[in-house]
Amino acid sequence: MSRKSRDHNRVYTLCSVCIAFVLCALLAACATVPLTERKSLRLIPSSELLSLSDQQYATVLGESKLSTDRQKVQMVTRVGKRIASAAEEFLRESGAEDRIKNYQWEFNVIEDDKTVNAWCMPGGKVAVYTGILPYTRNETGLAVVVGHEVAHAIAEHGNERMSQALLAQLGGVALSVALKEQPAATQQIYMAAYGVTANVAALLPYSRLHENEADRIGLTLMAKAGYNPNEAVRFWQAMSEQGGSRPPTFL
């Protein structure tokens, strides 16, 4: 065998090993979504996301006008606590009781009638915009929204979406490295991944699957919390009339 052939074989072997290593790493990073049993990619450690969540949640609240409407705030808190309790019960039943400790629930109402949105960051950091309340109409309708958003958190869709975005846009670097080297871009990806901003163009190819999973889990949470899941039909009809067709998130 010639030297050139031996070198070629070494390169081929090295590439094969590298590819195998990457595939093994990706497989090791896969996790199962509760209820649907779908395998999803989660490259980011929960501890890093929880830390970033605390920072970004505080930033959003600091830059927003929080509602002083006592009735609205109490309703969101009341519904939120019931959904949170149902979520923890759901995690226990799904064999993920160890994840409950990661949730330090917070529920805030942002005074913004033009924004029809709600979201839940890792650790149970929830925000509901007043712009969505005309469509929820009542507590049960609000439970549709909160249950749906908490379902995204339970399924760890944000981790999956951020993992995909870091691979596609930042070369698959670790979150800590991305935050150090490209903080603005990384924070933008984070905010989009959790539905805080409307800039989700890079993430839309994955959102339909996530929305369907959040629907299924969210309805389960509603039922466990003592709300009528059938109210979801009325709510989504109202949202469709508002936007022409059901949006991938509450845009």
Side-chain angles (χ1 to χ4, degrees):
M1 182 181 293
S2 67
R3 180 178 178 181
K4 183 176 181 180
S5 297
R6 288 197 299 271
D7 290 342
H8 176 77
N9 287 339
R10 289 194 188 99
V11 172
Y12 178 81
T13 301
L14 180 60
C15 289
S16 298
V17 171
C18 290
I19 292 173
F21 177 79
V22 171
L23 288 175
C24 288
L26 291 176
L27 287 173
C30 286
T32 302
V33 177
L35 190 65
T36 68
E37 299 298 319
R38 179 180 65 86
K39 296 294 183 181
S40 65
L41 180 66
R42 301 173 196 168
L43 299 175
I44 306 170
S46 296
S47 58
E48 293 185 14
L49 278 180
L50 290 170
S51 177
L52 184 56
S53 173
D54 289 340
Q55 298 172 23
Q56 294 302 311
Y57 191 65
T59 297
V60 172
L61 296 185
E63 295 175 350
S64 304
K65 178 183 178 182
L66 298 183
S67 176
T68 57
D69 187 315
R70 186 176 179 181
Q71 184 177 6
K72 292 177 180 177
V73 172
Q74 288 181 342
M75 179 175 65
V76 169
T77 301
R78 186 164 56 247
V79 171
K81 287 182 177 180
R82 289 175 63 174
I83 293 294
S85 178
E88 293 182 1
E89 179 184 350
F90 178 82
L91 287 172
R92 281 190 288 268
E93 293 176 351
S94 302
E97 186 173 3
D98 60 315
R99 288 172 49 194
I100 294 176
K101 66 180 184 297
N102 293 334
Y103 288 87
Q104 302 296 323
W105 300 96
E106 290 186 50
F107 302 92
N108 280 281
V109 182
I110 295 178
E111 189 69 42
D112 185 347
D113 293 339
K114 295 182 179 180
T115 300
V116 183
N117 199 13
W119 40 263
C120 178
M121 289 183 182
K125 307 305 183 184
V126 179
V128 176
Y129 292 74
T130 54
I132 203 169
L133 297 181
Y135 301 95
T136 61
R137 297 184 188 176
N138 53 43
E139 283 199 25
T140 305
L142 181 59
V144 176
V145 174
V146 177
H148 183 91
E149 291 306 314
V150 168
H152 277 306
I154 288 178
E156 296 194 61
H157 288 155
N159 191 328
E160 184 177 5
R161 286 156 70 85
M162 276 210 73
S163 297
Q164 292 162 342
L166 287 176
L167 283 172
Q169 299 179 34
L170 300 182
V173 299
L175 177 61
S176 57
V177 175
L179 283 170
K180 182 179 179 179
E181 297 182 353
Q182 300 187 55
T186 306
Q187 289 171 4
Q188 184 180 36
I189 290 173
Y190 175 88
M191 299 294 266
Y194 289 96
V196 182
T197 68
N199 184 22
V200 294
L203 302 172
L204 286 180
Y206 312 101
S207 63
R208 177 54 57 197
L209 176 60
H210 291 163
E211 294 304 318
N212 289 338
E213 287 182 339
D215 281 343
R216 291 184 61 185
I217 297 173
L219 292 175
T220 300
L221 298 183
M222 281 188 69
K224 285 183 175 297
Y227 295 106
N228 180 7
N230 290 320
E231 180 68 11
V233 176
R234 195 277 312 158
F235 170 75
W236 287 119
Q237 286 175 340
M239 288 294 293
S240 294
E241 293 170 1
Q242 180 263 343
S245 60
R246 175 175 167 172
T249 55
F250 300 128
L251 299 185

